[in-house]
């Protein structure tokens, strides 16, 4: 399905009982809503489940404006308004988590609970910002394919490469299907993002934090930090997973997620 939000077409799936609390999935970079397939199937009995493509990703339009985390937040709120969702539960991975944290910090009244997956509240370090520029240069010079191979090696745990070739191929396909200019715009948006750590103590929503034990992009330490700073958070480490814990160990991920939703989608 599609709807117009902030002047662009956003593509989304909207499944499950309409009278249940809405659970909205936000994907990571540079992926799309198909990464949540197993979670959408697992949760659609418990909640109204919405998975959408952030602007410029998957089947959503990108528009003309430079991307930014605040613009992604406006899109999220616009989508909620278009779908008549007053208050949602967000389940957000990595870049999706940057959006969820900013949205909850600025509009806490619009959310019931958060599931923060393989993400962090810190802004990029100087080194991280320099690496974003290197990545932009590499995409503009050499194209998407070498960038995709380099990123895959950081996104997935070694055992995923050994044991789940289908998952590796699916992630590669998501990355290589992104237009280069959209990759660049999202890299710039993440490079420019503000930290949200200093506001965590004020976030009184219930939060479930999930992190792959071998996550090298938003390592478990970043999740432990958020767990300690948030007033009402629980933390589950997903074994045998890297940065894409929902894809790499969906059984453990879904068990933790469904247990959390038993309370919050009831
Ligand atoms: C993501 O998975 O969304 C990105 O890798 C996050 C990042 O690069 O900071």
């Amino acid at each position: 399905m599609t709807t117009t939000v902030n002047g662009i077409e956003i593509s989304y799936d909207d499944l499950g009982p309409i009278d249940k609390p809405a659970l909205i999935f936000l994907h990571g970079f540079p992926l799309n809503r198909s990464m949540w397939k197993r979670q959408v199937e697992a949760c659609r009995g418990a909640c109204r489940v919405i998975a959408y493509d952030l602007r410029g990703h998957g089947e959503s339009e990108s528009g003309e404006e430079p991307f930014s985390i605040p613009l992604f937040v406006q899109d999220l709120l616009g989508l909620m308004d278009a779908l008549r969702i007053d208050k949602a539960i967000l389940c957000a991975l990595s870049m999706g988590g940057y959006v969820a944290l900013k949205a909850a910090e600025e509009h806490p009244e619009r959310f019931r609970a958060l599931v923060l997956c393989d993400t962090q509240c810190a802004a990029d370090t100087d080194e991280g910002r320099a690496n974003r520029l290197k990545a932009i240069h590499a995409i503009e010079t050499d194209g998407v394919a070498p960038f995709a191979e380099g990123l895959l090696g950081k996104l997935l745990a070694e055992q995923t490469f050994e044991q789940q070739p289908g998952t590796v191929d699916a992630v590669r396909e998501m990355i290589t299907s992104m237009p280069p200019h959209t990759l660049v715009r999202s890299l710039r948006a993440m490079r420019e993002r503000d930290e949200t750590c200093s506001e965590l103590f004020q976030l009184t929503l219930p939060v479930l934090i999930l992190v792959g034990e071998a996550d090298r992009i938003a390592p478990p330490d970043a999740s432990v930090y958020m767990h300690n700073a948030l007033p009402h958070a629980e933390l589950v480490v997903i074994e045998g997973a890297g940065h894409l814990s929902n894809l790499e160990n969906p059984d453990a991920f879904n068990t933790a997620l469904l247990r959390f939703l038993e309370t919050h989608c009831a």
Side-chain angles (χ1 to χ4, degrees):
M1 283 184 271
T2 62
T3 187
T4 305
V5 172
N6 298 324
I8 57 159
E9 291 284 298
I10 292 283
S11 293
Y12 66 98
D13 300 309
D14 184 356
L15 304 158
I18 192 102
D19 56 335
K20 290 276 192 180
L23 167 67
I24 304 181
F25 285 102
L26 289 88
H27 59 77
F29 166 86
L31 309 174
N32 60 59
R33 70 187 197 274
S34 71
M35 67 167 273
W36 295 115
K37 199 164 175 278
R38 296 277 296 266
Q39 286 69 42
V40 167
E41 283 310 313
C43 299
R44 62 186 287 188
C47 316
R48 176 180 175 189
V49 174
I50 289 126
Y52 75 101
D53 290 331
L54 274 73
R55 69 167 61 211
H57 298 73
E59 297 170 324
S60 289
E61 290 179 347
S62 50
E64 301 300 324
E65 292 164 77
F67 292 177
S68 66
I69 301 302
L71 182 62
F72 289 142
V73 170
Q74 280 178 34
D75 291 343
L76 167 64
L77 296 174
L79 179 66
M80 289 172 63
D81 291 342
L83 301 182
R84 298 181 192 283
I85 296 166
D86 182 34
K87 262 177 139 122
I89 303 162
L90 300 180
C91 179
L93 187 134
S94 200
M95 182 177 77
Y98 307 155
V99 180
L101 279 164
K102 190 78 179 161
E105 180 186 307
E106 294 191 345
H107 306 276
E109 72 290 349
R110 299 294 307 265
F111 304 103
R112 290 172 185 271
L114 302 181
V115 184
L116 299 173
C117 322
D118 299 283
T119 193
Q120 56 191 329
C121 57
D124 277 4
T125 59
D126 288 346
E127 187 190 354
R129 287 165 59 86
N131 286 338
R132 300 276 190 208
L133 291 184
K134 281 187 202 152
I136 289 169
H137 181 70
I139 292 165
E140 289 173 342
T141 313
D142 306 322
V144 177
F147 170 75
E149 287 316 307
L151 184 58
L152 267 176
K154 295 182 202 140
L155 290 172
L156 301 170
E158 270 173 35
Q159 71 189 76
T160 304
F161 284 96
E162 285 156 18
Q163 295 168 12
Q164 300 184 54
T167 302
V168 180
D169 289 346
V171 176
R172 179 184 291 110
E173 168 62 26
M174 280 188 253
I175 304 173
T176 53
S177 67
M178 291 274 296
H181 69 275
T182 313
L183 290 170
V184 166
R185 288 161 88 184
S186 290
L187 285 164
R188 289 211 177 98
M190 291 190 287
R191 181 175 186 272
E192 298 307 320
R193 77 183 190 281
D194 295 329
E195 62 84 26
T196 47
C197 301
S198 50
E199 300 297 323
L200 288 183
F201 75 99
Q202 301 207 58
L203 203 61
T204 53
L205 299 169
V207 180
L208 170 64
I209 301 169
L210 301 175
V211 61
E213 65 175 347
D215 187 339
R216 279 170 287 169
I217 295 180
D221 280 358
S223 286
V224 170
Y225 180 92
M226 292 193 292
H227 182 227
N228 290 337
L230 283 160
H232 302 292
E234 57 181 298
L235 169 64
V236 177
V237 177
I238 306 295
E239 286 181 10
H243 186 59
L244 302 183
S245 57
N246 71 308
L247 286 169
E248 299 183 72
N249 189 347
D251 291 341
F253 187 101
N254 289 358
T255 300
L257 177 60
L258 286 168
R259 192 171 38 73
F260 184 74
L261 295 177
E262 260 173 34
T263 312
H264 301 292
C265 276

